[in-house]
């Protein structure tokens, strides 16, 4: 069984992908070719954001957003310690300070109720992460930001392109949304890629300049920038994949919901046994694209080993909160974020992709719960 299945997805889209690649090879505009604008137009329309700026990666999207907001050494950015390292890394790269706020125990997302206490006169922005494909409580975060001098809010939406919050699309929920097209993300290209979304004309202009070395006109470098473009071939591949993205999002939701429903029914929900595997909550006002399907397992190593022996791959997102990592631990004591600390010890992600069958899912759950998969109980629930 595959953890993610990019080969099956390629087989399903092969003619479209090949045609798109061929078109680029024929016209030869490998940098900023027509596919770049075409993709930006389609993604902007999908999210409802006024501007989409494709960039070299999700990491670069975060860096360029912070640069556009003029983040300087000593500035504080409020974020979560329970995320992929890039979120805090780009803050530190600019000499700014990530201020880690603890997460919600049922979603793993930054806890909006704890943000206000972390705001100081040096706070420059708030950077929530939409973990595992579900956004944080963005309206609550935006309200806090508005109250404190209109602080900008950057959504690290690297895992949540296609998710919604109160019916609105992730990436278009705050000042800036940043996503990634790393191959394993919900919408992935065949290399590195990413995009930034905003409704703010001035920020969009700044980020377009930052993308090409701060250039406002040819050889006029108005500001400091980076080499941050997404290449035409990757945009072309993403365009082909985007054609069935809406269908994939629906599939992912169905598969994620099935894992949850089955886990809840296979285990006695009233049981407080230390062996009980906990599901994460998708809050009613949000939909997840399940970038990962993640559960909380008390005996993680033993369960991972059992699954591995049965040929079922798992992963841990993330085993160590950032404030316990060697390069970051001086910034905040891990005891300040006890929920993140506890979750990092228990989270485990299961295979998640659109070619996963109901039988695959039942086998994963059977092995994980140490049930015999021929057990009547499991057979019954499948039907
Ligand atoms: C993947 C990811 C990134 C980085 O994206 P890349 O395209 O790999 O640079 C940033 N933040 C989060 C939360 C991610 O999951």
């Amino acid at each position: 069984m595959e953890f993610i299945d990019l080969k099956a997805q390629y087989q399903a889209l092969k003619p479209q992908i090949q045609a798109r690649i061929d078109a680029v090879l024929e016209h030869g505009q490998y940098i900023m070719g027509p596919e770049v604008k075409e993709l930006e137009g389609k993604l902007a329309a999908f999210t409802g954001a006024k501007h989409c700026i494709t960039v070299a990666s999700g990491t670069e999207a975060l860096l360029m957003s912070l640069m556009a907001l003029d983040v300087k050494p000593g500035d504080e950015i409020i974020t979560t310690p329970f995320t992929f390292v890039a979120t805090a890394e780009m803050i530190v790269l600019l000499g700014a300070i990530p201020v880690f706020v603890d997460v919600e125990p049922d979603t793993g997302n930054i806890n909006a109720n704890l943000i206000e206490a972390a705001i100081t006169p040096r706070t420059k922005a708030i950077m929530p992460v939409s973990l595992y494909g579900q956004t944080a409580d963005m309206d609550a975060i935006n309200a806090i930001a508005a109250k404190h001098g209109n602080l900008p809010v950057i959504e690290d939406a690297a895992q949540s392109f296609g998710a919604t919050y109160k019916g609105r699309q992730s990436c278009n929920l705050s000042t800036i949304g940043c996503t990634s097209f790393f191959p394993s993300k919900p919408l992935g290209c065949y290399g590195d890629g990413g995009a930034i979304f905003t409704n703010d004309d001035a920020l969009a202009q700044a980020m377009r300049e930052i993308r090409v070395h701060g250039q406002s006109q040819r050889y006029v470098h108005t500001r400091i920038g980076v080499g941050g473009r997404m290449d035409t071939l990757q945009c072309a591949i993403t365009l082909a994949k985007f054609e069935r993205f809406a269908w994939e999002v629906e599939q992912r939701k169905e598969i994620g919901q099935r894992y949850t429903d089955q886990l809840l029914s296979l285990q006695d929900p009233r049981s407080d046994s230390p062996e009980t595997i906990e599901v994460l909550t998708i809050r009613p006002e949000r939909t997840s694209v399940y970038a990962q399907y993640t559960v909380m397992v008390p005996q993680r190593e033993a369960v991972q080993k059992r699954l591995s022996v049965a040929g079922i791959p798992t992963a841990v997102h993330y085993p160590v909160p950032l404030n316990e990592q060697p390069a970051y631990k001086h910034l905040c004591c891990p005891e300040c974020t006890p929920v993140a600390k506890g979750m990092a010890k228990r989270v485990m992600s299961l295979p998640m992709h659109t070619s996963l069958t109901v039988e695959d899912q039942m086998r994963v759950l059977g092995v994980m719960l140490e049930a015999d998969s021929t057990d009547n109980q499991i057979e019954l629930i499948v039907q």
Side-chain angles (χ1 to χ4, degrees):
M1 196 181 303
E2 309 276 347
F3 189 70
I4 54 165
D5 195 353
L6 295 174
K7 284 183 224 138
Q9 188 198 42
Y10 172 60
Q11 288 308 324
L13 289 169
K14 196 169 177 173
Q16 292 93 318
I17 290 172
Q18 290 294 348
R20 281 288 188 175
I21 290 175
D22 287 347
V24 176
L25 298 181
E26 291 297 331
H27 70 54
Q29 295 176 56
Y30 302 122
I31 299 294
M32 300 307 280
E35 287 80 1
V36 178
K37 262 218 156 57
E38 186 183 350
L39 180 64
E40 289 176 346
K42 286 203 167 140
L43 300 183
F46 178 84
T47 59
K50 186 168 175 196
H51 302 282
C52 168
I53 300 131
T54 55
V55 295
S57 69
T59 303
E60 209 75 12
L62 296 170
L63 177 65
M64 292 167 63
S65 301
L66 292 166
M67 288 173 77
L69 292 169
D70 208 17
V71 167
K72 293 211 163 25
D75 287 345
E76 294 176 355
I77 312 290
I78 293 174
T79 191
T80 161
F82 197 46
T83 175
F84 180 63
V85 66
T87 316
E89 187 179 35
M90 293 304 105
I91 297 170
V92 175
L93 194 63
L94 292 174
I97 302 159
V99 174
F100 294 116
V101 164
D102 210 357
V103 297
E104 300 169 335
D106 61 331
T107 68
N109 274 321
I110 193 167
N111 188 336
N113 297 326
L114 303 177
I115 289 177
E116 211 154 7
I119 293 178
T120 76
R122 288 193 298 186
T123 305
K124 194 72 188 268
I126 306 174
M127 196 192 272
V129 175
S130 301
L131 192 72
Y132 307 141
Q134 172 180 212
T135 73
D137 191 353
M138 294 303 285
D139 278 358
I141 295 170
N142 288 333
I144 295 163
K147 190 173 142 195
H148 292 269
N150 273 326
L151 288 170
V153 176
I154 305 172
E155 180 195 7
D156 180 345
Q159 303 178 7
S160 61
F161 189 78
T164 61
Y165 175 87
K166 298 184 181 172
R168 285 135 52 201
Q169 287 290 329
S170 172
C171 292
N172 186 24
L173 300 171
S174 60
T175 319
I176 297 176
C178 294
T179 199
S180 163
F181 306 126
F182 185 83
S184 62
K185 308 282 180 180
L187 179 61
C189 61
Y190 288 164
D192 278 311
I196 308 175
F197 298 84
T198 186
N199 292 309
D200 183 314
D201 296 342
L203 279 176
Q205 178 61 27
M207 292 186 291
R208 286 202 176 93
E209 291 174 11
I210 289 169
R211 177 168 68 176
V212 279
H213 307 285
Q215 184 171 267
S216 50
Q217 299 164 42
R218 195 161 174 81
Y219 297 125
V220 178
H221 300 279
T222 313
R223 58 172 77 237
I224 302 298
V226 294
R229 293 166 301 227
M230 180 166 167
D231 64 67
T232 312
L233 268 175
Q234 294 303 340
C235 289
I237 290 161
T238 310
L239 276 167
K241 294 234 243 164
F242 188 62
E243 282 177 34
R244 73 164 205 173
F245 182 66
W247 174 83
E248 287 191 356
V249 168
E250 288 314 308
Q251 289 294 110
R252 297 182 82 91
K253 280 193 215 159
E254 204 174 292
I255 292 167
Q257 189 62 47
R258 184 178 302 122
Y259 267 141
T260 299
D261 291 346
Q262 295 290 330
L263 264 168
L264 292 176
S265 56
L266 288 167
Q267 300 188 114
D268 182 348
R270 289 155 306 178
S271 155
D272 52 6
S273 150
E275 297 296 314
T276 301
I277 290 169
E278 289 172 72
V279 303
L280 293 174
T281 307
I282 306 299
R283 299 284 180 94
E285 75 280 12
R286 313 179 202 172
T287 61
S288 178
V289 278
Y290 295 101
Q292 276 83 35
Y293 186 86
T294 304
V295 290
M296 291 190 282
V297 191
Q299 310 287 336
R300 183 169 67 198
E301 275 188 18
V303 177
Q304 278 195 288
K305 185 145 190 234
R306 188 157 73 235
L307 287 159
S308 166
V309 166
I312 299 167
T314 56
V316 175
H317 304 98
Y318 296 91
V320 181
L322 296 186
N323 48 3
E324 289 183 48
Q325 290 284 2
Y328 298 85
K329 64 184 178 200
H330 61 287
L331 294 166
C332 156
C333 61
E335 289 68 36
C336 302
T337 58
V339 178
K341 191 179 173 70
M343 285 183 86
K345 292 201 175 80
R346 291 185 295 148
V347 287
M348 181 180 85
S349 305
L350 302 178
M352 180 72 202
H353 53 82
T354 56
S355 15
L356 210 62
T357 63
V358 176
E359 291 70 29
D360 290 336
Q361 288 192 273
M362 295 318 294
R363 201 163 81 76
V364 171
L365 296 176
V367 175
M368 186 168 72
L369 299 173
E370 232 174 2
D372 179 350
S373 55
T374 59
D375 189 314
N376 281 340
Q377 194 190 15
I378 289 193
E379 294 290 334
L380 260 182
I381 294 163
V382 177
Q383 285 152 17

